[in-house]
Amino acid sequence: MENKLQIFLKSNLLNKYLVGDTSLEETKEVEHFISKYPEVAQAYEKLQENLEIVTKAGAVDVPNHILNDILEALEDTNDTKVIQLVQKRKTSWFSIAASAAAVLFAATSFMLYQKNVELNNENNVVVEEIFDLRSDIENNNSKLDELSKELLKLNNPDAKKYVFNGNERAKDLKTVAYINPVEKTSMIDVITLPQLPKEQQYQIWAELQDRMVNLGILDESDRKLKQIPYMEDALALSIKIGTKGDNANENDTEVAEISLKEE
């Protein structure tokens, strides 16, 4: 249905309907879209406003230089006296007026044509802006849905909150972990991570009964909730500083730790 709406708005049927140039079937189609889709109704109202502007712009006074040229032509016609062997019929005032009207009509038609071109260009811009706006709204709605889902996870009564505070090696470090043992999910929210040399990085580890498991890398750019692997029997989580490019090493420098043992 979205593709059908886009095709309709780009089909120029609204312009034809506005000036009464649509067939019976096209008229029914346009009126159906106007009544059903607010975007089409809004675009049609904009077209009507633009047509009023063009109509007012077309109702202009006749340029003075055109009238002066016509009067000078009339004076030249009256003053000219030529003796001819064959008498020619004098040009009637009606013919002169008709010629003047034709000139004015041509000038006005050209002006209206230019206005119509400008109006069509403006209408195309309006249609593009409508689609851009709809795209922005859809993107924002998607982000809101994603945020809503994350908040539901955080507000789940089964989720437990754990706060990492850095030791002397990283005093400004602060990160929060949310662990839900019922749904078996783990998330971490990076709040602040002190800057490290380019060759180093922060890693999060899970301590099990018999080993340490690397759960991934933490970065200052991850300033949002981040999913991490859930470890069923983890006794603690810790944040360590390791070297980029090297294999994960459980003996890396530890800068923060939380206990997951039930008190």
Side-chain angles (χ1 to χ4, degrees):
M1 184 59 68
E2 186 69 17
N3 291 335
K4 187 175 181 181
L5 175 60
Q6 295 180 10
I7 293 172
F8 173 80
L9 287 174
K10 295 181 178 180
S11 67
N12 205 34
L13 279 178
L14 277 180
N15 287 339
K16 294 176 63 177
Y17 177 79
L18 185 65
V19 298
D21 193 28
T22 52
S23 63
L24 180 59
E25 292 298 323
E26 289 175 336
T27 299
K28 290 181 180 180
E29 181 181 2
V30 172
E31 291 175 350
H32 168 72
F33 274 84
I34 290 176
S35 62
K36 187 173 182 180
Y37 298 99
E39 296 90 347
V40 177
Q42 182 181 357
Y44 180 64
E45 291 177 0
K46 183 66 175 179
L47 289 176
Q48 288 179 311
E49 294 174 1
N50 291 337
L51 182 60
E52 291 178 2
I53 294 173
V54 171
T55 302
K56 292 178 181 179
V60 296
D61 294 333
V62 178
N64 291 331
H65 70 85
I66 294 179
L67 295 177
N68 291 335
D69 292 344
I70 294 173
L71 292 175
E72 290 177 3
L74 293 176
E75 291 176 359
D76 292 342
T77 302
N78 292 333
D79 293 341
T80 303
K81 296 179 181 180
V82 180
I83 299 176
Q84 297 177 336
L85 296 177
V86 180
Q87 184 177 4
K88 293 184 179 180
R89 182 180 299 176
K90 294 182 179 179
T91 304
S92 65
W93 283 97
F94 177 79
S95 298
I96 296 174
S99 299
V103 172
L104 293 177
F105 177 77
T108 303
S109 298
F110 180 71
M111 292 173 58
L112 290 177
Y113 170 76
Q114 289 183 315
K115 291 292 183 181
N116 187 53
V117 171
E118 294 176 1
L119 178 61
N120 285 333
N121 292 335
E122 183 176 346
N123 290 339
N124 291 334
V125 172
V126 170
V127 171
E128 291 177 359
E129 289 178 348
I130 290 175
F131 282 112
D132 289 342
L133 180 60
R134 288 176 60 86
S135 178
D136 291 341
I137 292 174
E138 291 175 356
N139 290 335
N140 289 335
N141 288 339
S142 177
K143 291 179 180 179
L144 288 175
D145 289 341
E146 182 179 350
L147 179 59
S148 177
K149 292 177 182 178
E150 291 178 349
L151 290 176
L152 286 176
K153 292 180 181 179
L154 299 185
N155 294 328
N156 190 314
D158 295 323
K160 298 180 180 180
K161 177 180 177 181
Y162 301 89
V163 179
F164 288 91
N165 289 308
N167 56 22
E168 292 295 326
R169 179 65 179 80
K171 295 181 179 180
D172 296 330
L173 183 148
K174 188 170 184 180
T175 303
V176 182
Y178 299 89
I179 300 177
N180 189 326
V182 177
E183 295 185 357
K184 301 187 184 304
T185 58
S186 297
M187 302 184 72
I188 193 162
D189 183 14
V190 175
I191 299 177
T192 58
L193 288 176
Q195 188 172 1
L196 292 174
K198 293 182 179 180
E199 67 277 5
Q200 294 181 330
Q201 61 187 6
Y202 291 100
Q203 301 169 351
I204 184 165
W205 290 76
E207 180 185 348
L208 302 181
Q209 188 69 35
D210 56 347
R211 69 186 188 280
M212 298 288 291
V213 178
N214 188 296
L215 302 181
I217 298 171
L218 296 182
D219 192 275
E220 181 68 21
S221 60
D222 295 331
R223 297 291 297 273
K224 60 181 180 180
L225 285 171
K226 177 180 178 180
Q227 197 85 24
I228 59 174
Y230 175 79
M231 303 302 295
E232 179 72 39
D233 300 320
L235 302 177
L237 292 178
S238 61
I239 298 176
K240 299 182 179 184
I241 297 176
T243 302
K244 293 181 179 179
D246 290 347
N247 293 329
N249 188 342
E250 61 183 64
N251 295 319
D252 289 339
T253 304
E254 182 178 290
V255 293
E257 183 181 20
I258 56 170
S259 174
L260 303 181
K261 297 177 182 178
E262 296 291 340
E263 294 183 358

